[in-house]
Amino acid sequence: MTLTPNTGYHVKSLKVAGTTRTDDLTDGANGSKTYTFTLKKDTTVEADFEADSTGPVDPTPVTHTVTVNKTGNGTVTLAPAATPEENVYTYNENTEITVTVT
């Protein structure tokens, strides 16, 4: 099994069938941890993830909207492409946007 924490978190502990297995974890990519066991009966797995002392706690990105209003004939295109709700486009903060008017 592989335990992969969200951004701003790390694997604190792992219990398999009531036994702590944290010391038996193998390090993987991006903070993930791997543990291998042979299943011989119904088993409960408990993974505990803990917030890092530094870094983001909430992995939800900050978003902002771009409202496009136009009059007359022509098109307004935003890149990167996004699907607008009405004429409002939503992007993650710090996204570089190119506006093309034709």
Side-chain angles (χ1 to χ4, degrees):
M1 80 178 62
T2 301
L3 310 170
T4 305
N6 288 341
T7 301
Y9 288 81
H10 62 273
V11 176
K12 180 178 179 184
S13 66
L14 172 69
K15 282 187 181 181
V16 178
T19 302
T20 300
R21 297 292 183 185
T22 306
D23 293 337
D24 300 324
L25 294 172
T26 302
D27 291 336
N30 300 320
S32 67
K33 304 284 185 178
T34 302
Y35 176 72
T36 303
F37 67 100
T38 302
L39 184 65
K40 296 184 179 183
K41 62 181 182 177
D42 292 347
T43 301
T44 300
V45 173
E46 299 173 55
D48 186 14
F49 297 95
E50 180 177 65
D52 293 341
S53 58
T54 60
V57 173
D58 183 2
T60 304
V62 175
T63 60
H64 299 285
T65 59
V66 176
T67 302
V68 176
N69 295 317
K70 67 175 190 138
T71 57
N73 292 329
T75 60
V76 178
T77 306
L78 301 180
T83 304
E85 184 173 321
E86 299 293 325
N87 62 334
V88 178
Y89 298 76
T90 302
Y91 291 95
N92 287 343
E93 187 170 70
N94 295 319
T95 299
E96 185 173 295
I97 299 169
T98 301
V99 179
T100 303
V101 180
T102 54

